[in-house]
Amino acid sequence: MKRFLIPILSIAMLFNLTSAFAWGPVGHDVVASIAEQNLTRKAKRNITKLLEGKSIVYYSSWMDNIQNSPYWENGYNKTKTWHYANVDKGHTYETMTKNPDGDVVTALEFLTKELTENYDNLTDSMRVDYVKMIVHLVGDLHCPMHAGRLSDRGGNNVRVKWFGQRSSLHSVWDSKIVESARRWGYKEWTEHLDRADRKFRKSVMRGTYQEWFKETVNGAASIYEYVEALGEEPNLSYQFVYDFSPLLEDRLMIGGYRLAYVLNTIFG
Ligand SMILES: [Zn+2]
């Protein structure tokens, strides 16, 4: 009997690990897939060439997965803090305590600058890695709990129940709400979300990482306010999915359009 316990435990631990980092794989795939639909022909051609025929969707969760690979100890562990920026209540990105190891905003600013101003000095493998990181991090930048409070580790310490099961607010927003809202794969999400008209797309495909992050902080604030009003360890279920589906859809769709904008600017 004991022999079976070990694999079950390892799988449970793996889920715990991955849920602490980002949108789950479906969320990241949706953002990358919407972006892919909105790339210019030239940008798509250049990126596909760089990724040796693979798509940006294929690599959308690479940056999370690398944390469980031998690569990790080989320099990539420096990117550990790049997935989020925790802003305490009453603070903004400007006034918050900055993480000296970097955050999602400084990481995206660095990667974009390298690919635009320092491209010729980068090795091919650096170019590839930086593209994969941008694809992932623009997704994280639009995930509300990646702008959660520092005091509760981006919602990781906010205990909630999700349809009766113990969970955290961070985990609910990373993957559980995406998986519960629809029984869709990333292609179906893309088909139903990538429908904004030209005027709307133009209105969101502009601005800076810091400006975009402000919206994520506002989204996180609305989630905190809602959950706090429900008291200690609330049981979140259908009502929560209903109330927050518009925010979820908005973040995935706008994240996708903006990823296209970033990649079109670099590679278009
Ligand atoms: Zn991430």
Side-chain angles (χ1 to χ4, degrees):
M1 193 57 203
K2 251 186 184 166
R3 274 171 48 207
F4 295 103
L5 274 177
I6 295 165
I8 291 168
L9 275 179
S10 334
I11 291 166
M13 280 162 69
L14 189 71
F15 273 109
N16 269 335
L17 268 178
T18 50
S19 69
F21 296 122
W23 283 123
V26 177
H28 278 292
D29 285 354
V30 176
V31 170
S33 169
I34 292 174
E36 196 174 39
Q37 301 299 319
N38 289 276
L39 290 178
T40 61
R41 212 176 283 178
K42 191 177 168 200
K44 195 171 178 178
R45 197 172 52 236
N46 286 334
I47 293 165
T48 309
K49 198 174 160 197
L50 201 59
L51 300 180
E52 296 183 332
K54 294 276 198 293
S55 72
I56 54 173
V57 178
Y58 183 85
Y59 286 120
S60 75
S61 293
W62 171 88
M63 205 175 168
D64 280 336
N65 298 337
I66 203 168
Q67 311 200 14
N68 300 304
S69 87
Y71 259 1
W72 185 241
E73 293 304 327
N74 203 8
Y76 287 84
N77 50 4
K78 287 194 193 115
T79 66
K80 192 177 176 181
T81 61
W82 292 12
H83 300 249
Y84 56 87
N86 290 141
V87 187
D88 270 327
K89 195 176 180 182
H91 282 272
T92 62
Y93 184 78
E94 288 80 15
T95 67
M96 73 174 216
T97 315
K98 298 281 189 307
N99 192 320
D101 297 327
D103 57 56
V104 68
V105 173
T106 57
L108 280 166
E109 286 171 349
F110 164 76
L111 297 164
T112 307
K113 199 166 178 211
E114 285 295 290
L115 285 174
T116 45
E117 295 173 24
N118 197 31
Y119 195 83
D120 290 344
N121 296 319
L122 302 176
T123 62
D124 269 350
S125 79
M126 285 164 96
R127 292 170 184 165
V128 170
D129 283 0
Y130 289 2
V131 170
K132 292 178 192 169
M133 287 180 188
I134 286 179
V135 169
H136 181 84
L137 294 179
V138 172
D140 279 350
L141 184 79
H142 288 82
C143 183
M145 278 300 124
H146 283 244
R149 295 174 189 160
L150 185 63
S151 57
D152 57 35
R153 295 174 50 246
N156 275 300
N157 293 352
V158 179
R159 287 194 295 190
V160 297
K161 288 208 172 73
W162 184 250
F163 287 87
Q165 303 284 321
R166 292 185 75 180
S167 187
S168 73
L169 193 56
H170 188 98
S171 175
V172 162
W173 268 94
D174 268 7
S175 50
K176 291 191 166 68
I177 188 168
V178 183
E179 289 154 12
S180 302
R182 308 279 184 180
R183 293 282 180 266
W184 286 345
Y186 81 85
K187 284 202 163 177
E188 287 145 321
W189 278 99
T190 304
E191 188 190 328
H192 295 289
L193 294 188
D194 183 15
R195 285 163 180 257
D197 60 24
R198 207 177 135 77
K199 194 176 161 204
F200 178 86
R201 275 183 283 148
K202 250 183 125 178
S203 74
V204 295
M205 290 166 89
R206 58 198 293 260
T208 64
Y209 291 126
Q210 285 203 36
E211 285 165 359
W212 301 345
F213 184 71
K214 251 180 225 164
E215 294 172 13
T216 312
V217 174
N218 292 339
S222 70
I223 297 164
Y224 276 112
E225 194 185 337
Y226 182 102
V227 169
E228 278 167 0
L230 298 174
E232 274 290 284
E233 205 170 343
N235 183 30
L236 308 176
S237 64
Y238 296 109
Q239 183 72 45
F240 187 84
V241 173
Y242 178 80
D243 290 339
F244 281 103
S245 281
L247 179 65
L248 169 69
E249 292 172 9
D250 186 73
R251 296 289 80 201
L252 294 172
M253 171 186 63
I254 292 175
Y257 290 141
R258 285 179 178 159
L259 176 56
Y261 167 72
V262 170
L263 295 175
N264 285 341
T265 307
I266 300 172
F267 293 101

